[in-house]
Amino acid sequence: MKILNVYYSMTGNTAKVALKIDVAARELGYSVETVKIDRSDVVLDLLGSDYVFAGSGVYGQLPGEHLVGSFRRTMQEYSKNGEVKPCSPRRPRGKAIVYCTYGGVHTGINEAVPTVKLMGQFFDHLGYTIVAEWYFVGEYNLERQREHSLIGRLGDIRGRPNEKDLLEVAEQTKGILKT
């Protein structure tokens, strides 16, 4: 089974989740290609993967610009090659897990939902089955925003994602890959 684990992380929160996914899959004996997106022009090789884990932090209710740019570039390449088809027929091997880390200082998880839904639509257009949407709380790590880790709707989120959150990541990853 081929597993691709792709993510964008500005502050390190999503990186913690992505690396836990990598470790959990390897503990089950699978090989994983983990790719950190740090530019918008990256074209991903998705179609050979049985499972794709895709994650991002939430930036103004959206995934990181580099991840969105990479998804767009990949979609353009697949459109040129005829891989994007009308009615998005399902790919029997293609399964996607989309997730985000978020602070939700204003409206909580509602700020994160558009991020995950947008990423899911990318995979849905390619015919992937979305098997899970995950939302993980992540503290504000940028100096100018640290106070938001204390004053938002979610209360004190310092240190998140924490060990408990990452244990949940590992358990959910293993649960999906064992089926």
Side-chain angles (χ1 to χ4, degrees):
M1 177 168 32
K2 185 173 179 188
I3 301 169
L4 177 62
N5 180 22
V6 60
Y7 71 97
Y8 173 77
S9 185
M10 182 189 301
T11 65
N13 291 332
T14 307
K16 289 180 188 177
V17 173
L19 296 177
K20 185 54 83 170
I21 291 166
D22 185 286
V23 167
R26 290 179 192 281
E27 285 176 358
L28 291 176
Y30 298 114
S31 63
V32 183
E33 180 183 1
T34 297
V35 178
K36 179 180 181 183
I37 300 297
D38 56 7
R39 313 183 327 260
S40 295
D41 62 346
V42 175
V43 176
L44 298 164
D45 179 17
L46 301 172
L47 299 180
S49 298
D50 299 293
Y51 285 89
V52 177
F53 291 83
S56 178
V58 175
Y59 309 96
Q61 296 80 43
L62 297 172
E65 289 180 27
H66 291 314
L67 188 65
V68 171
S70 179
F71 282 176
R72 284 187 179 137
R73 285 289 308 270
T74 300
M75 186 67 86
Q76 289 168 350
E77 290 300 314
Y78 286 149
S79 292
K80 285 181 200 174
N81 296 337
E83 293 291 345
V84 177
K85 298 176 177 25
C87 301
S88 302
R90 291 285 171 224
R91 294 179 187 277
R93 290 180 38 206
K95 294 178 177 55
I97 299 86
V98 290
Y99 67 91
C100 70
T101 56
Y102 69 100
V105 71
H106 301 292
T107 63
I109 195 169
N110 293 333
E111 294 177 40
V113 171
T115 293
V116 169
K117 294 296 184 186
L118 181 66
M119 290 189 295
Q121 276 299 293
F122 170 76
F123 288 99
D124 201 12
H125 275 93
L126 289 174
Y128 277 69
T129 299
I130 311 303
V131 296
E133 296 178 346
W134 296 342
Y135 302 84
F136 299 103
V137 174
E139 73 178 327
Y140 288 88
N141 289 316
L142 300 177
E143 189 63 41
R144 69 182 188 277
Q145 295 178 325
R146 288 224 167 123
E147 75 225 24
H148 295 316
S149 292
L150 293 169
I151 63 171
R153 279 197 177 170
L154 303 175
D156 186 349
I157 60 171
R158 290 176 292 180
R160 306 273 309 267
N162 56 28
E163 285 305 313
K164 181 180 175 188
D165 299 322
L166 296 174
L167 179 60
E168 182 181 335
V169 170
E171 289 173 355
Q172 289 182 16
T173 301
K174 290 177 179 179
I176 286 172
L177 295 176
K178 285 181 180 178
T179 57

